[in-house]
Structure formats: C-alpha cells, structure tokens
Amino acid sequence: GQQLNQSPQSMFIQEGEDVSMNCTSSSIFNTWLWYKQDPGEGPVLLIALYKAGELTSNGRLTAQFGITRKDSFLNISASIPSDVGIYFCAGQQGFGNEKLTFGTGTRLTIIP
Amino acid sequence: DAGVIQSPRHEVTEMGQEVTLRCKPISGHDYLFWYRQTMMRGLELLIYFNNNVPIDDSGMPEDRFSAKMPNASFSTLKIQPSEPRDSAVYFCASSQTVSPSEQYFGPGTRLTVT
C-alpha cells in the first residue's frame, strides 16, 4: 500500500540540539498527524493538524500542515534523552475515509 | 483512564495453528482499527470498524485473516492457519466520531510463527 516518505530516515544528534523532519506525499491529505513510538510500545499521538498552513505546538514540539496539503513538518526544540524513538507522520484523506496512511518513520538517536 | 488494551502481548505459535488476538478499545470510542507493523512494510491498516460494523477490510491480506467486533468493548483478529510470514506486531487503535483520525494505539501483540 501507499506510504508517506519521511526524511531523514535517521538522525543522530546531541542533547540540546533542535530537530527537524518532514513528510511528503504525492497525494493530498486533509488531516496530518505525528506520532512517536518507543521500543515495544504502540505509537503515541503527538499533534494533529486539520488545516493547510496550520502551525500547532505541543510543548517543545511544533508541527506544520503544508500549504500544498502534500507535506508536513515536525520540529523538536532543545532535545532531551526522552525524545529518542521513531517518529511517524500519518495522513488522512477524510470525507468519509477514516483510514490513516503512515510514513516510513524517522529514527531519532541522541548521542551522549 | 485505561487506554486500549491488547492481549496477549506476545504469542509464539507453530505454522498451521490458529491465532486469536484480542482488543478492548477506549470506552466511548466508536472506531476501532487493526494494524500490522513489520520492518519491510511499516504500519499497514488491516481493517476498521465503526459502531461495531466493518467498514473497510481491503487491507486484510487474505482469507486466512478475519476480524470481528461483537460489541463496543471487544474485537478479535484471527489468523487461521498461521504462516511464518504473518510474524509481525499487531496493533489495535480506537478513536471517536468527533475526531476519527486521532487514533489511540494499544501496546501491540508481537506474533511469532515458527
């Protein structure tokens, strides 16, 4: 099935650095979401975006819904050890179709 | 509040055996989704229900897979007969009608078929 392309695939950063990742699609989505998954656990919802151009924050996390509706971005400021994990974007086309299409994931590692 | 509950957390079975995975959605949620996660294919939607009715099962791999939701608080995903390629982590997620895209995931069941 279709997957969203996430970039980068992996990141190695030092504690305190800012992080940026993005998600792109060839199709338009009407809702974009960002999830984080820790080892051995299910994905946890971080941010949901419903409007093109929307910028939403959740603590140190900020996500944006791209104007073209074909992309989304996630930024993490001042990273801390608990930010380690895999970040997934997900898109929903809506209008009666409640299925989420998930991205390929960005693995974040913090170097001590 | 209790989140989505899945059981078992781990299942190891032999090829050809029947496997049943169980899910209890968050109380009050009327959407329930079953996903499969593998390294090769990532997170894939298998099937989802709305008010206990299957809405889209186009992601179910083949006839060996079946899912039911007999009531608002319980769903099962059954594989019969199981095959080694079914080895994966299976997640259940639920959401509310007011925001169906905001899905809350359970901890998953790691299935190994030998």
Side-chain angles (χ1 to χ4, degrees):
Chain A
Q2 177 190 8
Q3 278 192 329
L4 303 175
N5 296 313
Q6 282 188 246
S7 178
Q9 280 190 317
S10 59
M11 303 182 73
F12 295 85
I13 62 167
Q14 291 190 323
E15 185 177 348
E17 287 186 26
D18 295 343
V19 172
S20 293
M21 60 187 79
N22 66 69
C23 185
T24 60
S25 169
S26 57
S27 304
I28 288 175
F29 288 95
N30 291 297
T31 301
W32 284 91
L33 307 103
W34 285 91
Y35 284 82
K36 177 177 182 271
Q37 186 174 23
D38 292 329
E41 301 294 331
V44 174
L45 180 63
L46 299 173
I47 294 178
L49 303 156
Y50 294 98
K51 188 176 176 181
E54 178 183 352
L55 192 69
T56 297
S57 293
N58 178 3
R60 293 176 297 105
L61 278 61
T62 301
Q64 183 163 23
F65 190 141
I67 291 292
T68 65
R69 298 187 178 216
K70 293 183 178 181
D71 54 11
S72 181
F73 309 89
L74 178 69
N75 294 313
I76 306 172
S77 62
S79 58
I80 60 177
S82 62
D83 292 334
V84 166
I86 303 177
Y87 291 80
F88 291 98
C89 62
Q92 186 200 39
Q93 292 179 318
F95 304 122
N97 180 356
E98 314 304 348
K99 296 161 68 168
L100 289 183
T101 300
F102 278 84
T104 48
T106 293
R107 182 181 295 272
L108 180 63
T109 302
I110 294 184
I111 305 167
Chain B
D1 289 339
V4 174
I5 298 171
Q6 291 187 246
S7 65
R9 291 294 309 272
H10 302 274
E11 176 81 40
V12 180
T13 191
E14 290 184 347
M15 177 176 164
Q17 297 297 307
E18 177 180 295
V19 175
T20 299
L21 311 181
R22 298 173 175 80
C23 174
K24 177 178 168 56
I26 294 172
S27 178
H29 283 196
D30 35 30
Y31 280 89
L32 185 140
F33 304 80
W34 282 101
Y35 289 88
R36 178 171 67 178
Q37 186 177 41
T38 61
M39 289 294 292
M40 291 296 294
R41 299 174 67 88
L43 263 168
E44 300 176 282
L45 177 67
L46 300 177
I47 184 171
Y48 79 93
F49 296 82
N50 180 218
N51 291 322
N52 314 336
V53 175
I55 302 300
D56 188 329
D57 65 354
S58 60
M60 295 285 262
E62 48 198 270
D63 291 346
R64 297 184 298 105
F65 285 67
S66 63
K68 294 182 180 180
M69 192 164 186
N71 57 63
S73 59
F74 183 65
S75 177
T76 60
L77 178 68
K78 186 176 292 187
I79 308 172
Q80 166 65 13
S82 57
E83 296 183 2
R85 60 189 167 128
D86 301 330
S87 297
V89 181
Y90 291 81
F91 290 103
C92 175
S94 69
S95 64
Q96 298 177 286
T97 296
V98 294
S99 53
S101 59
E102 295 183 20
Q103 298 176 18
Y104 293 85
F105 283 73
T109 295
R110 180 173 294 278
L111 173 65
T112 303
V113 183
T114 60

